[in-house]
PDB file of all heavy atoms in Angstrom:
ATOM      1  N   MET J   1     -26.155   2.806  -0.243  1.00 59.00           N
ATOM      2  CA  MET J   1     -26.322   3.551   1.009  1.00 59.00           C
ATOM      3  C   MET J   1     -25.118   4.445   1.260  1.00 59.00           C
ATOM      4  O   MET J   1     -24.016   4.168   0.807  1.00 59.00           O
ATOM      5  CB  MET J   1     -26.491   2.582   2.181  1.00 59.00           C
ATOM      6  CG  MET J   1     -27.742   1.729   2.108  1.00 59.00           C
ATOM      7  SD  MET J   1     -29.256   2.701   2.216  1.00 59.00           S
ATOM      8  CE  MET J   1     -29.185   3.256   3.910  1.00 59.00           C
ATOM      9  N   SER J   2     -25.366   5.522   2.020  1.00 72.00           N
ATOM     10  CA  SER J   2     -24.287   6.465   2.304  1.00 72.00           C
ATOM     11  C   SER J   2     -23.258   5.860   3.234  1.00 72.00           C
ATOM     12  O   SER J   2     -23.576   5.129   4.167  1.00 72.00           O
ATOM     13  CB  SER J   2     -24.851   7.733   2.944  1.00 72.00           C
ATOM     14  OG  SER J   2     -25.547   8.512   2.002  1.00 72.00           O
ATOM     15  N   LYS J   3     -22.019   6.180   2.946  1.00 89.00           N
ATOM     16  CA  LYS J   3     -20.924   5.811   3.834  1.00 89.00           C
ATOM     17  C   LYS J   3     -20.560   6.985   4.741  1.00 89.00           C
ATOM     18  O   LYS J   3     -19.834   6.828   5.702  1.00 89.00           O
ATOM     19  CB  LYS J   3     -19.709   5.383   3.007  1.00 89.00           C
ATOM     20  CG  LYS J   3     -19.954   4.152   2.147  1.00 89.00           C
ATOM     21  CD  LYS J   3     -18.741   3.837   1.306  1.00 89.00           C
ATOM     22  CE  LYS J   3     -18.931   2.540   0.516  1.00 89.00           C
ATOM     23  NZ  LYS J   3     -20.012   2.619  -0.461  1.00 89.00           N
ATOM     24  N   LEU J   4     -21.082   8.187   4.377  1.00 94.00           N
ATOM     25  CA  LEU J   4     -20.803   9.394   5.155  1.00 94.00           C
ATOM     26  C   LEU J   4     -22.046  10.281   5.143  1.00 94.00           C
ATOM     27  O   LEU J   4     -22.465  10.773   4.091  1.00 94.00           O
ATOM     28  CB  LEU J   4     -19.622  10.154   4.553  1.00 94.00           C
ATOM     29  CG  LEU J   4     -19.201  11.430   5.287  1.00 94.00           C
ATOM     30  CD1 LEU J   4     -18.687  11.090   6.681  1.00 94.00           C
ATOM     31  CD2 LEU J   4     -18.147  12.189   4.503  1.00 94.00           C
ATOM     32  N   ILE J   5     -22.646  10.454   6.312  1.00 95.00           N
ATOM     33  CA  ILE J   5     -23.843  11.286   6.456  1.00 95.00           C
ATOM     34  C   ILE J   5     -23.489  12.475   7.343  1.00 95.00           C
ATOM     35  O   ILE J   5     -23.026  12.309   8.473  1.00 95.00           O
ATOM     36  CB  ILE J   5     -25.000  10.495   7.096  1.00 95.00           C
ATOM     37  CG1 ILE J   5     -25.310   9.245   6.266  1.00 95.00           C
ATOM     38  CG2 ILE J   5     -26.239  11.373   7.232  1.00 95.00           C
ATOM     39  CD1 ILE J   5     -26.186   8.243   6.981  1.00 95.00           C
ATOM     40  N   ASN J  95     -22.081   7.185  10.080  1.00 94.00           N
ATOM     41  CA  ASN J  95     -21.727   6.238   9.016  1.00 94.00           C
ATOM     42  C   ASN J  95     -22.760   5.132   8.857  1.00 94.00           C
ATOM     43  O   ASN J  95     -22.504   4.112   8.214  1.00 94.00           O
ATOM     44  CB  ASN J  95     -20.349   5.625   9.268  1.00 94.00           C
ATOM     45  CG  ASN J  95     -20.292   4.829  10.571  1.00 94.00           C
ATOM     46  OD1 ASN J  95     -21.295   4.666  11.260  1.00 94.00           O
ATOM     47  ND2 ASN J  95     -19.119   4.320  10.910  1.00 94.00           N
ATOM     48  N   MET J 158     -15.585   5.358   7.575  1.00 95.00           N
ATOM     49  CA  MET J 158     -16.487   5.168   6.433  1.00 95.00           C
ATOM     50  C   MET J 158     -16.435   3.746   5.883  1.00 95.00           C
ATOM     51  O   MET J 158     -17.149   3.413   4.940  1.00 95.00           O
ATOM     52  CB  MET J 158     -16.144   6.168   5.321  1.00 95.00           C
ATOM     53  CG  MET J 158     -16.366   7.614   5.703  1.00 95.00           C
ATOM     54  SD  MET J 158     -16.152   8.768   4.320  1.00 95.00           S
ATOM     55  CE  MET J 158     -14.393   8.650   4.023  1.00 95.00           C
ATOM     56  N   ILE J 160     -14.135   2.217   4.118  1.00 92.00           N
ATOM     57  CA  ILE J 160     -13.685   2.154   2.730  1.00 92.00           C
ATOM     58  C   ILE J 160     -12.183   1.900   2.722  1.00 92.00           C
ATOM     59  O   ILE J 160     -11.503   2.106   3.728  1.00 92.00           O
ATOM     60  CB  ILE J 160     -13.998   3.446   1.946  1.00 92.00           C
ATOM     61  CG1 ILE J 160     -13.237   4.637   2.546  1.00 92.00           C
ATOM     62  CG2 ILE J 160     -15.490   3.727   1.927  1.00 92.00           C
ATOM     63  CD1 ILE J 160     -13.366   5.912   1.726  1.00 92.00           C
ATOM     64  N   THR J 611     -21.354   0.142  -5.572  1.00 94.00           N
ATOM     65  CA  THR J 611     -20.322   1.091  -5.984  1.00 94.00           C
ATOM     66  C   THR J 611     -19.586   1.557  -4.733  1.00 94.00           C
ATOM     67  O   THR J 611     -19.955   1.209  -3.611  1.00 94.00           O
ATOM     68  CB  THR J 611     -20.920   2.311  -6.711  1.00 94.00           C
ATOM     69  OG1 THR J 611     -21.647   3.121  -5.769  1.00 94.00           O
ATOM     70  CG2 THR J 611     -21.840   1.884  -7.845  1.00 94.00           C
ATOM     71  N   ASN J 612     -18.559   2.370  -4.937  1.00 94.00           N
ATOM     72  CA  ASN J 612     -17.801   2.911  -3.802  1.00 94.00           C
ATOM     73  C   ASN J 612     -18.145   4.373  -3.534  1.00 94.00           C
ATOM     74  O   ASN J 612     -17.407   5.060  -2.824  1.00 94.00           O
ATOM     75  CB  ASN J 612     -16.298   2.785  -4.066  1.00 94.00           C
ATOM     76  CG  ASN J 612     -15.843   1.344  -4.098  1.00 94.00           C
ATOM     77  OD1 ASN J 612     -16.268   0.533  -3.289  1.00 94.00           O
ATOM     78  ND2 ASN J 612     -14.983   1.004  -5.048  1.00 94.00           N
ATOM     79  N   HIS J 613     -19.244   4.857  -4.115  1.00 95.00           N
ATOM     80  CA  HIS J 613     -19.637   6.256  -3.898  1.00 95.00           C
ATOM     81  C   HIS J 613     -19.938   6.478  -2.420  1.00 95.00           C
ATOM     82  O   HIS J 613     -20.531   5.623  -1.751  1.00 95.00           O
ATOM     83  CB  HIS J 613     -20.862   6.588  -4.741  1.00 95.00           C
ATOM     84  CG  HIS J 613     -21.026   8.059  -5.002  1.00 95.00           C
ATOM     85  ND1 HIS J 613     -21.356   8.964  -4.007  1.00 95.00           N
ATOM     86  CD2 HIS J 613     -20.887   8.783  -6.146  1.00 95.00           C
ATOM     87  CE1 HIS J 613     -21.424  10.183  -4.532  1.00 95.00           C
ATOM     88  NE2 HIS J 613     -21.142  10.099  -5.827  1.00 95.00           N
ATOM     89  N   LEU J 614     -19.520   7.612  -1.901  1.00 96.00           N
ATOM     90  CA  LEU J 614     -19.749   7.912  -0.485  1.00 96.00           C
ATOM     91  C   LEU J 614     -21.212   8.163  -0.172  1.00 96.00           C
ATOM     92  O   LEU J 614     -21.597   8.224   0.995  1.00 96.00           O
ATOM     93  CB  LEU J 614     -18.923   9.134  -0.065  1.00 96.00           C
ATOM     94  CG  LEU J 614     -17.398   9.008  -0.207  1.00 96.00           C
ATOM     95  CD1 LEU J 614     -16.726  10.289   0.266  1.00 96.00           C
ATOM     96  CD2 LEU J 614     -16.877   7.812   0.557  1.00 96.00           C
TER      97      LEU J 614
END
Side-chain angles (χ1 to χ4, degrees):
M1 296 295 291
S2 287
K3 297 177 176 64
L4 181 65
I5 303 166
N95 62 4
M158 295 187 292
I160 63 173
T611 70
N612 293 319
H613 202 291
L614 299 181

